[in-house]
Amino acid sequence: MNSKETCRTELRTAIRQLSDRCLYSASKWAAEQLVGIELDPAKYTPSNTRFQRGSSSIQRRYRTNEITSTPTAGVSYVSTPVMEEDEVVDGDFYLLAKSYFDCREYRRAAHVLRDQTGRKSVFLRCYALYLAGEKRKEEEMIELEGPLGKSDAVNRELVSLEREFSTLRKNGMIDPFGLYLYGLVLKEKGSEHLARTVLVESVNSYPWNWNAWSELQSLCTTIDILNSLSLCDHWMKDFFLASAYQELRMHNDSLLKFKYLQGTFSFSNYIQAQIAKAQYSLREFEQVEVIFEELLRNDPYRVEDMDMYSNVLYAKECFSALSYLAHRVFMTDKYRPESCCIIGNYYSLKGQHEKSVMYFRRALKLNKNYLSAWTLMGHEYVEMKNTPAAVDAYRRAVDINPCDYRAWYGLGQAYEMMGMPFYALHYFRKSVFLQPNDSRLWIAMAQCYQTEQLHMLEEAIKCYGRAAKCNDREAIALHQLAKLHNELGRVQEAAFYYKKDLERMEFEEREGPNLVEALLFLATYCKDQKRFEEAEVYCTRLLDYTGPEKETAKSLLRGMRMSQSIPSMDVEHFPP
């Protein structure tokens, strides 16, 4: 059996087993990958394939490396035996409990299975108790603090579940799904090391449960932890590593992994979205926009990840496209956190910040741990000059994910607005540590060093230097480097950066005061260095402008003519 047939067979079995255990999100993920596998052209003709994307611009773009299939489905693929089902005696009780579970009557489901000993029944009973505890915890949080408030409410079922799972594991009576739930319980209780160990056992024995991989990924906060995991070689491991690299900000590695997986899962919307996510982090907005347009053509009712697309449209100020996207998700499912964030971005772009905050708050009522909503709401409060509220929103974001550089950057901006540069500097340092290749963060930190309270110009120069090396698209760093060196009396270094900035402005065909300033400085510098021909070129260019710089250029030209004692045209006759 070839690699694609192996993946297809395993996924079909996994979808049924995951659905039987009510792990619906993992089942959905597996089903999406199943239809994402490229069909064998020898068996399927274009008329009976489900997705007609062979001429996709995305496929052409991302398959230039000539990968035709994932070799042996994961480098050194190890076949994992399919788990046998053990429900014979418990079957009727299990079906009743599952019906209650699907109706969200979790405690009724657990009660029905109280005397059942089959592994499926044990898992569903424990899973129902866990979700009942989560539901009660959410209710307590709303009762005590409101939907967006902080609370000390906990899941009261965790202690008994941990005790039961620990006993089952010691006695060898736990299956991979029970191990997954045990890992989830341990993670909630803060036992992260043991949780990783248990989740590794789960995915090694049953690798098709994407929920288990996702929980394991959330516990891999450093590359050292990730490399320390003893994972079996399976094609699901490639999905895990690609996603983990993404969270660890190893965006190029993640991109390579996902492109590699496209060899087999050529039509996977999930992989396309993850490629877009990696390129979004690399600020390659044009490619991201192309991918999302293709995703919407193939899956017009998709809401997942569309908030990222709205961020791209917001950054590019595409009013009409963002309006269309907001209307589309509103008609599809307006009570999704992603939908609320998209609509919030739309109102923010229109300058209606109060309405924008209203939708971000609605997103958080639907999911209080929705990171993007906290960060974006903080940005809106900054626009509204409500810095205390902005600080609170950003702090909630870093509580959820301490690796979110945008929230740390937002905190720096907020404290800078409040005239507290030392605090701002602390948060800017956090942000550049997490995202060292983003020029905007280095520029923000440099500007903080330049404030009157700090006035640490040498440190500012270092930050602008880093920004210039990180592809400063706003073209701020070179100009500031030139100005700071000039301010410190280093005219040679200043001339170097003014010349580089001038070359960039000419290449990008930009005009403005920075261009005039660079020409004026270079004209004066070259005159002082007795490089009269070069100075004359800069002065001649300045004569095309109106204002004091034109008169300065004339004066410089006169001085050079007199010092050289060479008869020349009268500068008074230069065109006005």
Side-chain angles (χ1 to χ4, degrees):
M1 184 184 291
N2 64 36
S3 63
K4 292 180 184 178
E5 284 300 324
T6 301
C7 295
R8 202 174 282 122
T9 302
E10 291 178 349
L11 284 169
R12 287 193 184 112
T13 305
I15 291 163
R16 177 176 57 80
Q17 292 177 332
L18 292 163
S19 295
D20 281 350
R21 287 163 178 78
C22 304
L23 296 171
Y24 298 122
S25 60
S27 177
K28 183 183 83 167
W29 186 91
E32 287 177 348
Q33 306 325 308
L34 175 63
V35 300
I37 297 174
E38 185 175 27
L39 299 174
D40 186 348
K43 295 182 179 179
Y44 298 91
T45 61
S47 61
N48 61 21
T49 55
R50 185 170 178 186
F51 295 105
Q52 301 301 320
R53 284 191 251 178
S55 61
S56 165
S57 60
I58 295 177
Q59 193 149 330
R60 288 199 303 270
R61 181 189 297 273
Y62 293 117
R63 298 191 66 193
T64 54
N65 51 1
E66 300 301 325
I67 296 176
T68 55
S69 65
T70 305
T72 59
V75 186
S76 53
Y77 173 64
V78 176
S79 181
T80 303
V82 177
M83 191 175 63
E84 294 183 3
E85 300 295 0
D86 63 351
E87 293 300 330
V88 178
V89 179
D90 304 350
D92 295 339
F93 288 102
Y94 186 85
L95 289 174
L96 175 60
K98 188 174 183 301
S99 299
Y100 285 146
F101 187 99
D102 290 344
C103 293
R104 299 188 180 184
E105 298 182 49
Y106 301 126
R107 294 201 182 276
R108 290 187 78 186
H111 179 73
V112 167
L113 297 172
R114 65 193 181 281
D115 296 323
Q116 308 305 314
T117 57
R119 292 185 180 183
K120 273 177 69 175
S121 294
V122 169
F123 170 79
L124 189 60
R125 174 175 56 79
C126 293
Y127 191 31
L129 286 172
Y130 172 79
L131 290 180
E134 286 294 297
K135 184 179 177 183
R136 182 58 195 144
K137 183 179 80 171
E138 293 289 333
E139 290 168 354
E140 287 181 8
M141 290 175 65
I142 293 173
E143 290 164 4
L144 297 173
E145 301 291 340
L148 303 184
K150 294 183 179 180
S151 173
D152 295 328
V154 295
N155 185 335
R156 300 181 189 278
E157 302 294 335
L158 295 181
V159 175
S160 61
L161 287 172
E162 182 186 14
R163 190 184 306 119
E164 180 174 357
F165 280 129
S166 178
T167 303
L168 288 170
R169 182 168 175 252
K170 285 177 184 175
N171 296 333
M173 298 294 293
I174 192 169
D175 68 358
F177 294 102
L179 287 168
Y180 154 65
L181 190 52
Y182 185 26
L184 189 57
V185 168
L186 289 168
K187 177 192 166 189
E188 290 287 323
K189 291 199 69 182
S191 304
E192 294 187 357
H193 180 73
L194 183 55
R196 278 193 294 271
T197 302
V198 169
L199 287 168
V200 166
E201 288 179 29
S202 176
V203 298
N204 281 344
S205 52
Y206 189 85
W208 304 283
N209 181 4
W210 183 244
N211 285 5
W213 288 109
S214 297
E215 294 299 334
L216 180 59
Q217 177 194 298
S218 69
L219 294 168
C220 297
T221 51
T222 67
I223 188 63
D224 292 332
I225 292 175
L226 182 65
N227 291 335
S228 70
L229 301 179
S230 299
L231 297 170
C232 291
D233 287 319
H234 189 275
W235 54 266
M236 283 291 289
K237 179 183 174 182
D238 289 329
F239 278 99
F240 167 72
L241 290 175
S243 184
Y245 289 153
Q246 187 88 276
E247 291 302 311
L248 292 171
R249 301 173 302 283
M250 299 165 62
H251 304 301
N252 288 312
D253 294 312
S254 176
L255 204 55
L256 288 172
K257 264 297 184 199
F258 279 121
K259 288 180 183 179
Y260 170 69
L261 283 164
Q262 274 192 319
T264 296
F265 300 90
S266 305
F267 300 130
S268 169
N269 285 339
Y270 167 79
I271 291 178
Q272 295 288 10
Q274 296 308 305
I275 287 173
K277 185 176 179 181
Q279 293 194 313
Y280 175 80
S281 299
L282 295 169
R283 296 182 61 75
E284 297 173 357
F285 292 157
E286 296 296 333
Q287 293 93 320
V288 174
E289 192 173 4
V290 169
I291 293 174
F292 275 116
E293 286 173 358
E294 183 80 4
L295 279 174
L296 281 175
R297 279 194 293 271
N298 296 319
D299 188 1
Y301 300 103
R302 183 186 182 90
V303 178
E304 294 98 325
D305 307 308
M306 287 298 123
D307 52 335
M308 187 193 306
Y309 182 32
S310 75
N311 291 340
V312 172
L313 296 176
Y314 181 93
K316 296 182 69 177
E317 298 185 0
C318 300
F319 284 90
S320 57
L322 185 52
S323 173
Y324 176 72
L325 179 63
H327 178 74
R328 189 175 212 166
V329 296
F330 182 86
M331 298 304 293
T332 300
D333 188 351
K334 65 179 179 179
Y335 292 117
R336 283 277 294 269
E338 296 96 331
S339 301
C340 294
C341 271
I342 291 166
I343 298 168
N345 271 340
Y346 167 70
Y347 281 116
S348 177
L349 192 57
K350 288 184 71 178
Q352 299 180 23
H353 301 297
E354 292 82 1
K355 269 194 173 182
S356 180
V357 166
M358 181 183 75
Y359 275 97
F360 291 136
R361 292 182 72 84
R362 183 176 294 178
L364 292 165
K365 286 180 182 178
L366 294 166
N367 179 2
K368 66 182 178 60
N369 291 324
Y370 194 54
L371 181 64
S372 294
W374 284 115
T375 306
L376 293 171
M377 190 162 70
H379 294 344
E380 293 308 298
Y381 281 130
V382 167
E383 291 292 331
M384 295 162 66
K385 303 294 188 286
N386 187 349
T387 46
V391 167
D392 182 60
Y394 289 135
R395 287 197 183 281
R396 296 294 293 275
V398 296
D399 285 344
I400 295 167
N401 184 2
C403 295
D404 181 25
Y405 77 92
R406 296 170 303 171
W408 291 114
Y409 172 66
L411 280 168
Q413 282 189 310
Y415 277 103
E416 194 169 30
M417 285 175 63
M418 291 190 288
M420 302 168 72
F422 286 101
Y423 284 93
L425 194 59
H426 169 74
Y427 295 118
F428 285 140
R429 282 173 177 160
K430 287 263 191 184
S431 68
V432 296
F433 173 76
L434 293 168
Q435 191 79 354
N437 296 321
D438 194 326
S439 62
R440 298 169 301 166
L441 309 184
W442 289 107
I443 288 169
M445 191 157 73
Q447 290 170 342
C448 189
Y449 277 123
Q450 282 182 272
T451 55
E452 288 185 15
Q453 294 100 314
L454 298 181
H455 200 67
M456 299 168 67
L457 301 186
E458 294 292 350
E459 297 300 322
I461 285 172
K462 291 177 185 176
C463 291
Y464 282 126
R466 289 293 299 269
K469 292 176 182 176
C470 295
N471 189 19
D472 172 27
R473 300 186 183 187
E474 288 78 18
I476 295 171
L478 289 174
H479 183 72
Q480 289 297 323
L481 281 168
K483 288 186 71 171
L484 286 173
H485 279 297
N486 188 29
E487 187 177 337
L488 293 171
R490 302 170 186 163
V491 290
Q492 190 172 350
E493 290 87 345
F496 172 78
Y497 286 110
Y498 270 125
K499 192 165 185 178
K500 286 189 72 172
D501 192 31
L502 181 63
E503 289 169 356
R504 177 167 179 165
M505 286 186 281
E506 289 171 344
F507 178 77
E508 296 175 359
E509 298 181 349
R510 286 191 287 117
E511 296 284 341
N514 287 0
L515 182 68
V516 173
E517 183 181 328
L519 289 170
L520 198 54
F521 178 89
L522 289 169
T524 306
Y525 173 77
C526 290
K527 173 182 173 292
D528 294 341
Q529 295 291 312
K530 302 194 184 307
R531 288 151 51 186
F532 297 122
E533 289 184 9
E534 195 174 342
E536 191 168 337
V537 171
Y538 294 127
C539 287
T540 305
R541 290 183 62 182
L542 282 168
L543 295 173
D544 295 332
Y545 295 89
T546 57
E549 57 272 3
K550 180 176 180 178
E551 297 304 318
T552 305
K554 287 183 178 181
S555 177
L556 288 170
L557 282 169
R558 286 194 201 95
M560 285 188 288
R561 301 286 191 267
M562 291 176 63
S563 63
Q564 294 177 87
S565 301
I566 299 173
S568 180
M569 56 189 283
D570 188 354
V571 288
E572 294 296 343
H573 292 95
F574 285 136

